[in-house]
Amino acid sequence: MKPAPFRYADPGTLDEALAVLSAEGEGAKVLAGGQSLLPLLSMRLAAPTTLVDINRVPGLDSVEVTGNGVTVGALVRHTALLADDAAARVQPLLARATANVAHPAIRNRGTTVGSIAHADPSGEMTSVLALTDGAVTVATPSGPRTVEWRDLFVGPLETSLHGPAVVTSAFFPALPDRSGTAFAEVARRKGDYAVCGAGVVVTLDEDRRIARVRASYVSVGLTPEVHDLTEAVAGKPVDSADWAAAGALARTLVDPDTDIHASADYRRLLVGVLTERTLAEAAAEAAAKVTGE
Amino acid sequence: MTTKLFGEPVRRREDARLIIGKGRYLDDIGSNALAAAFVRSPHAHARITGIDVEAALDVEGLVAIYTYDDLTGPMAEPLPVLIPHPQLTQPRTGHALARDVVRHVGEAIVMVVATDRYVAEDAAERIVVTYEELPVVVGVDAAHEAKAAVHPDVPDNVAARHRQETGDVEPVLAASPRTLSFTQYIERSASMPMEGRGVHAKWDTDDRSLRVYTSTQASTSVRAAIAAKLDLSLDKVEVIAPDVGGGFGVKIVHPWPEELLVPMAAIALGAEVKWAEDRREHFISSAHERQQRQDITVGYDDEGRITALDVHVLHDNGAYTPYGIIVPIITATQLVGPYVIPVYRVQVDSVYTNTVIVTPYRGAGRPQACYAMERTMDRIADELGLDRAVVRERNLIQPDQFPYDHQLTFQDGRPVIYDSGDYPGLMVKLKELVGWDEAEALRSEAAARGKHLGIGMALYVEGTGPGPYEGGHVQVLGSGKVLVSTGLTSQGQGHETAFAQIVASELGVPIEDIEVTTGDTRRFGYAVGTFASRAAVMSGNAIALAARGVREKALRIAADVLEVDASDLEIDEGLVQVKGTPGASIPLRTVAVLSNPLRYAFDEAAKQATQFTTHDDSKPPVAEGDAPGLEHRDYYSPLRSTFASGAHAAIVEIDPATWEIDIVKYAVVHDCGNVVNPMIVEGQVHGGVAQGVGGALYERMVYDKDGQLQNASYMDFLMPYSSEVPDVVIDHQQTPSPLNPLGIKGAGEAGVIPGTAAIASAIEDAVGRRIAAMPISPTELYDLVRSPDSERTAASSRRAENGVLA
Amino acid sequence: MSVDTDRTITVTVNGVPREATVPVRRLLSDALRHDLGLTGTHVGCEHGVCGACTVLVDGDPVRSCLMLAVQVDGHAVTTVEGLARDDHRGGQVLHPVQEAFRECHALQCGFCTPGFLTTIAAGLEKRDPAAELTDEEVDDMVGGNLCRCTGYANIKKAVHHAAAAMKDDAR
Ligand SMILES: Cc1cc2nc3c(=O)[nH]c(=O)nc-3n(C[C@H](O)[C@H](O)[C@H](O)COP(=O)(O)OP(=O)(O)OC[C@H]3O[C@@H](n4cnc5c(N)ncnc54)[C@H](O)[C@@H]3O)c2cc1C
Ligand code: FES
Ligand code: FES
């Protein structure tokens, strides 16, 4: 289990990175935290001709927090995002989901943006990008562009980005007013990729009635999706909403797969259970905010 | 007086180097060695139609490529059937490199040697092997159906039918007041030591001798195998097991193809060659264990006393049988556990499948045996509406029944006669420790929290310390240092400490003066190996005997010098002294010097022993029948195995929404006779329990129908992290073995044996459905509870009538 | 911008600047073990799961099998060999967690041990030694490493033991 030969560059600027990516062509790959890429290289399941290591590119390692949302730079490690209280205040899903990503030593190296660029449907952060209606900023030789999450994820481990491109940041919009979130997952071992994970956002109206309910799942389906579950509980007072009904609705909307760790049916069961549980939690959080207003 | 170190929790001596990164494991040796890598079969069953190495030849750094055609003499023969047995009528082994047909994914076909492992893998990747695929057999049921054969000349796929019976089962069953029959399965797991296998070989071109380091549990036998296969004289081969990063059984198998091929290449190339197995190789080309189908019929009376037991096991032995039928025999003979089974018949059919070979993994057939017996007890209790503990108690062998002869023949060819034990004592302690009688209260309390709680128990008896023998050598040097060696190997069991404790106690020397070497054929050439919880029993006793021999000689020499009777002397803190007469003494190191009459003085100590300083000219310098030096070599060869025992109980809580299984309490009572070092024994128990939990809830080798291992990585083969291992409470009992001088029994494997049985029992108790396949994961539990076909336990029906959940 | 197949790197390893010329594909674990001769760092899986290869890069635990050697150019690496401190009398003082592992019998074969020691040492160094050590903290420190021998009970015990020693030292 040793990587096949490749060429290596560690550009000092974004422009240089793009230049090397352009020059090296199709077989070149960006190396960020390496926590997904290196196992693939060692198992020789991937054999890029060139690795373009972006770790020395300045300016990519900050988390910017505004009222609108959180911008996470390409070199922000999971550990840093997990510890960022300002980010957690604006978009609590970030820390809640990141806490479920791997173990600390992996989080010390792996990046949030790398997770998203890797487009693994069993990664937590792809779902969070979707659920928050986020987008990434991509540097290309023809200039930066923004790609909405819907346009980004094409298939498992596959994005719409082609040719020389570096994702420089991911933007996670702020949690709307009168909203609460929760994230939960079931994994075989603590720290493993989830058998099934669920992130939810519940938004109330001024009368503490359910206005909007959205959920996104981990390890369910080929690409992250967002499911609107509002119809199951729309208009219900937050304290008497039937979260089980929302869970039941969710079960009908998802299309999970069977693998060696779980059957599709079991995943569907978990979608229902985790939806019900997270919604109750998120709703309580939202309700507390409305009461506090 | 030297504190008696035997029985004390002495801190481990090997730790000093291991905690600072100065251990010496296989891949730490020979940093400049050439590296080997292998082309391995991607198919489970295929005929090799061509091997094209052309594309690899221009890889810079390539040194050599070997295929079957390069093997000559004994190397071209099939690998040995290590443990032949008359009932193993169709033994089959592969070749060091596949000759024409590959029979499991991972079988080695080509060996590449290059300047380093990266380059070796580059070259291996370019070698093109073409195949004609053959039909694949996966799983015991498919093997039994025999629609396809793994070996064409074994059309029914049966390697061996192992059969034992203690009487005529059928009439007794027919006459039994009650009988029940059931079928259950247990899946494959594996030893999975954190360090894989590995071999380093160095050929001394001038001396024409070979030194091999290998991460093995049996260095002396690897040495013999290498000498035989490579046509070398035994004295030209030395084999050393360096620090070994865990074994758990897989490293007892030998010679692995790599253990022969790497030395072969080292000789051919006149260079150092090394192969350090990577994790993927370990998954697909070492060994697994545990898959069985068990069909059980038991006769019993209205009190739950067993009248007869009839068991038929289908045992998956994988593609080859290099390790014979040891695992089937152990399952067959250990199944009876701590119980009186008036008539017992067992047949284990060991069958071929197109999967990795099956050889002992810690427990070695015993977890399956325990699963069969203990689940039978649970079923009887359920049928009769009795407490599961009560049914067990009624069947236990009583303390006054020892030695207890089961009329069976064990894996060492010796009778299964339990030497000592107190099984009712274990039960009392276990029930107390786990709170067996308070379980109903816990169940209600958990139900109030919306959880299903269940409790289960399992007992086992473990034959440990089988022969044929081990040896020990103890030598006192003139410096006072005491060298101790034994041939068997260590993989973390703390032998350097335990054996030093034994010598310190027997000889009366400070432990700091003792140096222990294991698994090095340069130091001790005769040994069997480390398996079957035998190291402490076998080498421990051999070393004790060797130390006693040294002591005797030391007393004899000192008696001469001090002009007293040897029986008036004692040795303490390295000083031989006249009992009760302080001052009348001679240091043991001086005795060592005097024991070797010298002509030449090379240092101050030696001067004391030269010919003009030693007197008594009435005797020859070395007395008749004596030998120079204060050393002794001795062997311990037991009449038969000694039988350790224990009882485990688990309490589980199950979330009825997600079917996640949480072990909330795990209790262990164990009895391994006299204990050399309780700290080490407890460590063995903890480690064993973690593997037991892994085997019950997390670990399994998932083969698809094409024989591809679906989870050949640590990502998907779920060995427990600390988060998955419950806290374990332990209680002890000691019934010394009458069979050996130290009164000890083995402790290495015990912890893992009852895990699957106890946890299955607890889950069944919690959900009220029969658990008949282990391991079990939440997704399977979910399938089970909602399946209309799954069988409810009688206990749960009764509880349901009383309005209790599940 | 150079695109290379080999590189010469300078790394401060256990406080000592070291130089090595390595193929760019060389894993940090292999470079430490085979180029720098620091074989205390072990390799158990080479895909990030077992943690045996964990070393500290600029003080933080990372998997050395999931980094390229070239990536630590200019950085500081601490391996298990670097946990003990100079006692300024020509000897070494073990890190409290090393002492604790021996005292609590937290290792058997010792293969996983270096990864645990580096991870736990970093975890203990980062916390306020005066604060009470919680079970969650312990779980976090040991939770990402596999051990096949010990069943973890004594490893957790050792973390508590080491923390207590560090608390005493801090007084
Ligand atoms: C043992 C283990 C357990 C894990 N468990 C989890 C888990 O539970 N949940 C989870 O989500 N993840 C898990 N991971 C993966 C981890 O979170 C990774 O950090 C993450 O998936 C990828 O981030 P990275 O920075 O390491 O990316 P890399 O490995 O460097 O790259 C991954 C891919 O993304 C591309 N890429 C990365 N960054 C960019 C960029 N800025 N622009 C363009 N392309 C880019 C690379 O070219 C590559 O194809 C685990 C990893 C390991 C080893
Ligand atoms: S070897 Fe690096 S995590 Fe296992
Ligand atoms: S001590 Fe052997 S793997 Fe941990």
Side-chain angles (χ1 to χ4, degrees):
Chain A
M1 299 213 331
K2 307 289 181 192
F6 51 75
R7 289 146 52 82
Y8 174 85
D10 55 346
T13 67
L14 203 52
D15 287 345
E16 268 180 8
L18 292 170
V20 186
L21 282 168
S22 305
E24 295 287 312
E26 273 294 279
K29 249 192 179 320
V30 171
L31 172 64
Q35 304 301 287
S36 291
L37 189 49
L38 279 192
L40 293 175
L41 296 185
S42 284
M43 294 181 191
R44 300 201 180 205
L45 295 173
T49 55
T50 313
L51 287 191
V52 181
D53 183 350
I54 59 171
N55 282 281
R56 286 181 207 265
V57 175
L60 297 182
D61 60 354
S62 60
V63 180
E64 279 163 34
V65 184
T66 68
N68 291 334
V70 180
T71 306
V72 179
L75 291 176
V76 174
R77 315 288 168 184
H78 296 300
T79 302
L81 186 58
L82 185 57
D84 198 312
D85 293 339
R89 272 194 295 277
V90 170
Q91 182 43 274
L93 272 170
L94 292 176
R96 286 175 187 168
T98 304
N100 290 279
V101 175
H103 289 110
I106 307 287
R107 296 203 291 259
N108 282 341
R109 253 336 263 177
T111 66
T112 306
V113 169
S115 263
I116 290 166
H118 193 51
D120 187 342
S122 18
E124 285 77 4
M125 302 320 285
T126 46
S127 289
V128 172
L129 190 76
L131 182 59
T132 57
D133 232 341
V136 294
T137 302
V138 186
T140 68
S142 53
R145 61 194 174 91
T146 300
V147 182
E148 300 294 331
W149 73 269
R150 275 176 212 288
D151 305 324
L152 183 66
F153 301 121
V154 175
L157 308 189
E158 196 187 342
T159 66
S160 59
L161 306 180
H162 295 291
V166 176
V167 180
T168 49
S169 66
F171 175 69
F172 301 88
L175 185 66
D177 289 343
R178 297 187 305 277
S179 300
T181 71
F183 190 96
E185 66 181 44
V186 169
R188 287 308 319 277
R189 297 175 298 189
K190 187 165 183 290
D192 278 351
Y193 282 103
V195 167
C196 178
V200 295
V201 180
V202 175
T203 305
L204 306 181
D205 64 17
E206 284 92 346
D207 302 327
R208 294 168 45 98
R209 288 175 186 278
I210 313 290
R212 194 169 188 218
V213 175
R214 287 151 47 90
S216 180
Y217 302 97
V218 180
S219 300
V220 174
L222 304 179
T223 55
E225 288 174 42
V226 177
H227 299 285
D228 196 314
L229 307 176
T230 315
E231 67 180 75
V233 283
K236 295 275 163 25
V238 64
D239 305 315
S240 60
D242 182 359
W243 299 122
L249 173 61
R251 287 170 64 144
T252 66
L253 299 176
V254 294
D255 184 16
D257 279 324
T258 293
D259 64 19
I260 60 169
H261 299 303
S263 67
D265 275 1
Y266 180 62
R267 287 207 159 87
R268 200 184 296 280
L269 170 83
L270 292 182
V271 163
V273 174
L274 294 178
T275 301
E276 187 181 338
R277 287 180 183 174
T278 48
L279 285 179
E281 207 182 311
E285 185 178 82
K289 285 184 190 165
V290 175
T291 314
E293 264 175 10
Chain B
M1 183 68 196
T2 308
T3 37
K4 267 285 194 193
L5 290 177
F6 188 98
E8 293 300 313
V10 174
R11 297 299 179 258
R12 296 202 329 166
R13 319 183 74 215
E14 36 279 87
D15 293 357
R17 64 175 186 278
L18 301 181
I19 54 176
I20 58 169
K22 292 281 188 267
R24 195 154 167 265
Y25 300 86
L26 194 281
D27 194 31
D28 303 344
I29 293 162
S31 56
N32 294 319
L34 298 175
F38 291 84
V39 177
R40 297 181 183 278
S41 173
H43 298 294
H45 197 189
R47 182 176 308 284
I48 300 168
T49 54
I51 301 176
D52 183 355
V53 302
E54 194 60 36
L57 297 179
D58 55 3
V59 170
E60 204 185 309
L62 174 73
V63 176
I65 295 177
Y66 300 88
T67 66
Y68 176 79
D69 291 340
D70 300 302
L71 307 183
T72 55
M75 277 298 282
E77 303 289 315
L79 293 163
V81 179
L82 267 187
I83 310 180
H85 190 285
Q87 290 174 344
L88 176 58
T89 53
Q90 304 293 337
R92 294 291 179 276
T93 51
H95 294 85
L97 291 170
R99 188 181 58 188
D100 42 12
V101 175
V102 282
R103 294 194 171 80
H104 66 83
V105 169
E107 202 169 340
I109 300 170
V110 185
M111 176 169 70
V112 175
V113 178
T115 46
D116 76 12
R117 174 78 186 206
Y118 290 74
V119 178
E121 288 188 23
D122 295 346
E125 201 177 26
R126 294 180 183 207
I127 292 170
V128 181
V129 183
T130 47
Y131 303 89
E132 174 198 329
E133 288 187 52
L134 297 169
V136 172
V137 178
V138 175
V140 283
D141 287 325
H144 184 64
E145 271 175 46
K147 285 196 185 126
V150 176
H151 299 276
D153 51 351
V154 190
D156 62 358
N157 290 317
V158 177
R161 290 191 205 280
H162 176 68
R163 210 182 147 89
Q164 300 209 29
E165 53 196 328
T166 65
D168 207 349
V169 162
E170 265 143 38
V172 185
L173 276 178
S176 291
R178 293 161 174 268
T179 58
L180 65 83
S181 298
F182 65 101
T183 297
Q184 61 179 9
Y185 289 84
I186 184 167
E187 256 301 340
R188 277 185 177 219
S189 181
S191 302
M192 235 8 102
M194 293 303 298
E195 180 199 32
R197 297 174 295 142
V199 189
H200 172 276
K202 187 174 180 176
W203 175 248
D204 184 328
T205 318
D206 300 323
D207 190 49
R208 305 200 60 72
S209 64
L210 183 71
R211 176 181 297 178
V212 178
Y213 291 91
T214 175
S215 193
T216 184
Q217 294 174 226
S219 50
T220 50
S221 190
V222 173
R223 177 194 190 202
I226 290 173
K229 281 287 190 179
L230 299 182
D231 266 333
L232 295 167
S233 163
L234 193 64
D235 67 305
K236 289 295 184 189
V237 182
E238 43 195 44
V239 174
I240 301 151
D243 283 324
V244 173
F248 313 112
V250 65
K251 295 177 183 175
I252 191 65
V253 182
H254 63 278
W256 288 104
E258 299 86 355
E259 276 172 332
L260 302 172
L261 293 164
V262 169
M264 180 191 83
I267 296 172
L269 300 170
E272 265 181 76
V273 181
K274 178 164 73 177
W275 168 71
E277 182 182 57
D278 70 31
R279 190 51 57 185
R280 183 170 160 76
E281 290 182 288
H282 191 77
F283 271 100
I284 61 172
S285 57
S286 64
H288 304 158
E289 205 216 301
R290 303 253 203 273
Q291 192 185 44
Q292 288 184 351
R293 170 193 160 120
Q294 305 174 329
D295 295 300
I296 299 169
T297 300
V298 63
Y300 56 103
D301 66 17
D302 294 338
E303 258 69 65
R305 283 194 185 81
I306 290 180
T307 53
L309 181 63
D310 190 15
V311 180
H312 184 208
V313 176
L314 273 182
H315 169 84
D316 174 7
N317 59 227
Y320 301 107
T321 48
Y323 211 72
I325 54 168
I326 290 298
V327 176
I329 297 175
I330 296 177
T331 298
T333 50
Q334 300 262 260
L335 204 142
V336 289
Y339 306 111
V340 174
I341 309 291
V343 192
Y344 172 53
R345 176 173 70 183
V346 61
Q347 177 167 319
V348 186
D349 293 345
S350 190
V351 295
Y352 287 112
T353 59
N354 289 113
T355 56
V356 172
I357 58 168
V358 167
T359 65
Y361 155 40
R362 195 182 204 166
R366 296 177 187 86
Q368 299 94 310
C370 180
Y371 175 58
M373 187 73 248
E374 293 297 310
R375 302 297 290 135
T376 302
M377 289 292 172
D378 288 342
R379 296 228 180 199
I380 294 173
D382 194 51
E383 290 294 330
L384 296 175
L386 290 172
D387 181 345
R388 287 165 290 165
V390 169
V391 169
R392 286 174 167 82
E393 281 159 358
R394 288 182 181 161
N395 285 286
L396 288 177
I397 295 165
Q398 296 302 308
D400 59 4
Q401 288 179 281
F402 293 96
Y404 186 85
D405 188 346
H406 267 297
Q407 308 290 333
L408 297 165
T409 304
F410 198 39
Q411 59 152 324
D412 50 3
R414 305 255 154 179
V416 177
I417 301 176
Y418 292 175
D419 48 342
S420 64
D422 177 2
Y423 308 146
L426 292 175
M427 266 301 226
V428 171
K429 283 180 184 259
L430 183 72
K431 284 164 69 179
E432 166 78 31
L433 192 62
V434 75
W436 185 261
D437 295 329
E438 291 88 63
E440 287 314 312
L442 290 179
R443 192 194 309 280
S444 317
E445 183 271 333
R449 286 185 282 115
K451 294 281 170 73
H452 296 336
L453 181 138
I455 186 167
M457 65 161 58
L459 280 65
Y460 66 92
V461 173
E462 182 199 2
T464 69
Y469 74 88
E470 283 302 331
H473 180 250
V474 175
Q475 179 179 21
V476 183
L477 300 183
S479 61
K481 187 186 271 188
V482 181
L483 301 182
V484 179
S485 62
T486 182
L488 60 61
T489 59
S490 306
Q491 308 88 41
Q493 302 92 332
H495 294 155
E496 281 174 56
T497 307
F499 295 159
Q501 282 179 260
I502 291 172
V503 172
S505 297
E506 293 288 341
L507 200 54
V509 293
I511 195 165
E512 295 74 31
D513 291 347
I514 302 172
E515 255 179 48
V516 178
T517 304
T518 61
D520 184 338
T521 65
R522 295 171 301 181
R523 292 288 301 281
F524 207 99
Y526 291 92
V528 183
T530 302
F531 57 92
S533 308
R534 69 192 294 280
V537 179
M538 301 300 303
S539 283
N541 278 296
I543 287 170
L545 294 174
R548 287 175 195 181
V550 167
R551 180 187 158 87
E552 195 188 298
K553 180 166 187 181
L555 294 185
R556 180 156 44 81
I557 297 171
D560 249 15
V561 176
L562 298 172
E563 298 180 331
V564 294
D565 196 86
S567 64
D568 291 331
L569 293 174
E570 61 182 11
I571 311 179
D572 189 28
E573 289 291 330
L575 206 63
V576 190
Q577 59 195 30
V578 181
K579 288 179 200 160
T581 314
S585 65
I586 174 172
L588 195 59
R589 70 181 132 77
T590 310
V591 177
V593 171
L594 296 177
S595 71
N596 179 20
L598 292 172
R599 185 174 178 86
Y600 311 113
F602 40 82
D603 63 11
E604 281 304 313
K607 267 190 207 164
Q608 300 175 55
T610 52
Q611 53 196 347
F612 298 105
T613 41
T614 52
H615 304 302
D616 199 350
D617 46 20
S618 66
K619 295 181 197 156
V622 176
E624 209 174 310
D626 209 349
L630 185 50
E631 63 178 318
H632 191 72
R633 178 184 304 267
D634 216 327
Y635 294 86
Y636 173 64
S637 180
L639 202 54
R640 51 180 186 267
S641 294
T642 165
F643 289 81
S645 56
H648 291 201
I651 301 181
V652 300
E653 266 187 30
I654 291 165
D655 180 336
T658 64
W659 301 100
E660 287 171 286
I661 304 159
D662 189 14
I663 302 174
V664 294
K665 186 162 189 180
Y666 198 98
V668 173
V669 183
H670 76 121
D671 182 347
C672 59
N674 289 341
V675 169
V676 184
N677 184 324
M679 177 190 81
I680 289 177
V681 167
E682 219 165 87
Q684 291 290 319
V685 172
H686 278 294
V689 168
Q691 285 176 326
V693 169
L697 299 179
Y698 297 99
E699 298 165 14
R700 87 176 64 209
M701 294 291 169
V702 186
Y703 275 101
D704 69 9
K705 64 177 188 350
D706 299 324
Q708 296 291 339
L709 186 56
Q710 299 292 291
N711 58 341
S713 84
Y714 276 179
M715 205 71 135
D716 290 316
F717 178 79
L718 307 176
M719 268 159 46
Y721 285 106
S722 70
S723 38
E724 284 67 53
V725 179
D727 289 340
V728 180
V729 285
I730 304 180
D731 197 358
H732 312 266
Q733 175 175 292
Q734 285 193 7
T735 54
S737 172
L739 293 184
N740 62 66
L742 298 175
I744 56 186
K745 302 174 177 182
E749 299 174 276
V752 77
I753 295 169
T756 288
I759 293 167
S761 181
I763 296 172
E764 181 170 292
D765 185 45
V767 301
R769 307 285 176 135
R770 292 261 188 249
I771 307 292
M774 289 293 278
I776 190 162
S777 62
T779 186
E780 288 159 321
L781 187 56
Y782 173 55
D783 284 345
L784 184 83
V785 293
R786 71 199 170 114
S787 158
D789 302 333
S790 75
E791 194 189 335
R792 269 185 168 272
T793 61
S796 83
S797 306
R798 279 190 294 276
R799 277 206 294 274
E801 279 165 26
N802 299 333
V804 185
L805 204 78
Chain C
M1 179 77 259
S2 69
V3 184
D4 306 309
T5 53
D6 294 281
R7 279 230 181 148
T8 299
I9 57 169
T10 310
V11 199
T12 303
V13 183
N14 300 329
V16 182
R18 305 281 299 264
E19 205 182 83
T21 302
V22 292
V24 296
R25 62 166 155 165
R26 203 137 175 92
L27 300 172
L28 175 57
S29 46
D30 285 333
L32 289 168
R33 292 175 44 74
H34 302 306
D35 295 313
L36 300 180
L38 294 167
T39 54
T41 298
H42 296 158
V43 167
C45 70
E46 292 181 297
H47 48 271
V49 185
C50 76
C53 68
T54 308
V55 300
L56 310 183
V57 172
D58 300 329
D60 292 323
V62 300
R63 306 290 205 229
S64 64
C65 72
L66 296 188
M67 272 189 90
L68 300 173
V70 290
Q71 293 189 287
V72 295
D73 191 10
H75 293 270
V77 175
T78 307
T79 67
V80 66
E81 289 95 338
L83 291 181
R85 304 286 145 84
D86 204 328
D87 69 357
H88 304 294
R89 276 175 285 142
Q92 296 234 295
V93 220
L94 293 181
H95 190 280
V97 72
Q98 290 173 303
E99 290 283 11
F101 260 55
R102 179 164 55 186
E103 184 54 32
C104 301
H105 187 32
L107 62 152
Q108 291 182 23
C109 78
F111 198 78
C112 68
T113 308
F116 276 100
L117 290 173
T118 48
T119 309
I120 297 166
L124 290 173
E125 298 289 345
K126 283 209 177 80
R127 62 186 299 280
D128 170 10
E132 205 56 49
L133 183 73
T134 64
D135 285 343
E136 289 85 79
E137 280 181 277
V138 177
D139 290 345
D140 237 23
M141 280 185 240
V142 306
N145 291 49
L146 288 173
C147 172
R148 192 59 163 164
C149 296
T150 64
Y152 307 101
N154 289 342
I155 295 179
K156 292 195 234 176
K157 201 199 277 182
V159 181
H160 282 288
H161 200 275
M166 289 170 81
K167 188 175 188 173
D168 287 347
D169 281 354
R171 283 221 186 103

